[in-house]
């Protein structure tokens, strides 16, 4: 097949994780595969030389540069509107795809057209499975998250976090982690692009929900793996900044899909969550001074 019509499009949105992105791209380009692919990198105004590194070391990769931190959903959409692959994989920059994962993803999605979104087994740096499957967020679980009650009583979030999920078994699920998020390109015509109203977080949950509304399955496959170094970009943000973005996305999700009173109560609880995040930043600042 001509590279003008690739089998797989890989889309990576990156912010200030140059070395991890370099390793990710090197791995992708080194993988032997019968399927042709194109790779997009959307750089969100990184200040660590990411754009120059991609341009100089990986000239075959389609580079899109933003002059501001545009988040996750919007930059993915920039590339999705250009992607030509039959299968699209949204891939975090701090990932290493294992051999066979691209082929498995392509074959599974092309063979089972009732699968809308597919995720695979994600491993940490020590080779252990990370929690990449959750149930849909409900009002009570998200209230617990906002109020940080899960730190005091972890068992309260067991159902939402699906702590008893069997990661050795392929199965249908509610949602999969957005760090390896695959679907057929044809879904863009029916499900649409990601909702760019989410700066970061909840955009993949929203997309899984929209796919399910159209009678499609969300599927977790234990038969393919990738290494996930888990949120190295957002780890650079302060707690308050992360909490503002996260809770804004949460409220947007509930406005779209849940009763108004649930959204209202989450909005009332939001300032308490922001206060808790600010206090954590203050504590961290004092600790550093000491």
């Amino acid at each position: 097949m001509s590279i003008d019509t690739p089998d797989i499009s890989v889309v990576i949105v990156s912010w200030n994780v140059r070395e991890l992105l370099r390793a990710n791209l090197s791995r992708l380009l080194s993988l032997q595969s019968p399927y042709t692919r194109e790779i997009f990198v959307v750089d969100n105004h990184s200040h660590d030389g990411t754009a120059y590194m991609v341009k100089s070391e990986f000239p075959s990769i389609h580079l899109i540069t933003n002059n501001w931190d545009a988040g996750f959903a919007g930059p993915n959409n920039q590339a999705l509107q250009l992607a030509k692959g039959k299968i699209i994989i949204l891939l975090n920059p701090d990932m290493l795809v294992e051999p066979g994962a691209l082929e498995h993803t392509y074959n599974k999605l092309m063979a089972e057209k009732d699968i809308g979104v597919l995720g695979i087994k994600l491993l940490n740096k020590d080779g252990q499975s990370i929690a990449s499957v959750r149930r849909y967020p409900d009002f009570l679980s998200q209230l617990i998250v906002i109020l940080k009650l899960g730190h005091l009583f972890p068992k309260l979030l067991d159902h939402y976090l699906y702590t008893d999920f069997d990661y050795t078994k392929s199965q249908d699920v509610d949602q999969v982690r957005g760090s390896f998020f695959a679907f057929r390109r044809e879904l863009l015509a029916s499900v649409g692009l990601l909702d760019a109203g989410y700066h970061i977080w909840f955009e993949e949950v929203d997309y899984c929900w929209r796919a399910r509304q159209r009678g499609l399955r969300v599927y977790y496959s234990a038969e393919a793996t990738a290494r996930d170094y888990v949120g190295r970009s957002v780890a650079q943000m302060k707690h308050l900044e992360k909490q503002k973005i996260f809770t804004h996305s949460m409220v947007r999700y509930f406005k779209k899909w849940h009763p108004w009173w649930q959204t209202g109560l989450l909005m009332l609880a939001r300032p308490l969550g922001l206060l808790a995040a600010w206090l954590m930043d203050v504590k961290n600042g004092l600790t550093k001074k000491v």
Side-chain angles (χ1 to χ4, degrees), residues 217-232:
R217 299 155 57 200
V218 177
Y219 188 78
Y220 163 80
S221 177
E223 300 171 53
T225 59
R227 300 274 176 163
D228 188 339
Y229 291 89
V230 188
R232 295 299 180 90

Side-chain angles (χ1 to χ4, degrees), residues 4 29 85 96 134 136 199 206 239 242 281:
D4 292 332
L29 293 177
L96 287 177
R134 294 182 179 181
Y136 285 126
H199 185 74
D206 181 275
H239 290 290
K242 288 188 286 188
D281 286 333

